Amino acid sequence: QVQLMESGGGSVQTGGSLRLSCAASESSSGYCMAWFRQAPGKERERVAAIYTNRDTTYYADSVKDRFTISQDNAKNTLYLQMNSLKPEDTAVYYCARDRRKYYDCTSGFWSLSTFNSWGQGTQVTVSS
């Protein structure tokens, strides 16, 4: 099973930017990758997903036009560029890989259970 490790979290003020990285222990070519976040007392939310085989992406409405997901298959690394951060973006951010190879999870069915590889999470705190 692939190992995922996030980095790049931290504390910023409202309007600031952060770039999260997720390093994978093996190639994720052909797999759908995603970023999730979970705030205290809330359910885990998928904020962005990418399927590079079709060059497709998905963004939750709450982050659209502020966050950008990208993937460098040569480096086995997934990124999340977060701009114009808001206090409501405060959460632990996780990267995850869909267990279904050659399946486009940006538009197809997905659930938390379809992602079987998860990182340990990185904290993002946005202060007002």
Side-chain angles (χ1 to χ4, degrees):
Q1 189 167 344
V2 64
Q3 303 299 312
L4 303 174
M5 181 171 293
E6 304 93 340
S7 61
S11 297
V12 297
Q13 292 188 327
T14 298
S17 298
L18 284 173
R19 188 194 196 201
L20 304 184
S21 299
C22 172
S25 59
E26 63 183 43
S27 172
S28 291
S29 178
Y31 289 94
C32 200
M33 300 290 294
W35 287 98
F36 291 77
R37 68 185 180 187
Q38 188 166 21
K42 294 190 176 181
E43 294 185 351
R44 192 165 294 192
E45 171 192 20
R46 188 174 75 158
V47 297
I50 186 168
Y51 182 58
T52 55
N53 278 37
R54 291 185 178 176
D55 198 23
T56 56
T57 57
Y58 159 88
Y59 295 97
D61 288 342
S62 57
V63 306
K64 203 169 291 184
D65 299 325
R66 299 189 298 121
F67 290 11
T68 302
I69 189 172
S70 61
Q71 185 171 349
D72 187 336
N73 286 329
K75 296 182 178 180
N76 295 340
T77 302
L78 180 73
Y79 302 99
L80 186 67
Q81 178 66 44
M82 305 186 296
N83 299 328
S84 302
L85 283 162
K86 305 174 181 179
E88 51 263 44
D89 294 319
T90 295
V92 178
Y93 284 71
Y94 301 88
C95 64
R97 193 173 88 172
D98 196 305
R99 60 178 167 79
R100 302 163 297 179
K101 198 170 185 180
Y102 304 124
Y103 185 85
D104 186 355
C105 76
T106 65
S107 58
F109 171 79
W110 70 275
S111 69
L112 288 178
S113 65
T114 61
F115 290 84
N116 66 340
S117 299
W118 294 83
Q120 83 290 346
T122 186
Q123 176 70 46
V124 171
T125 302
V126 185
S127 58
S128 57

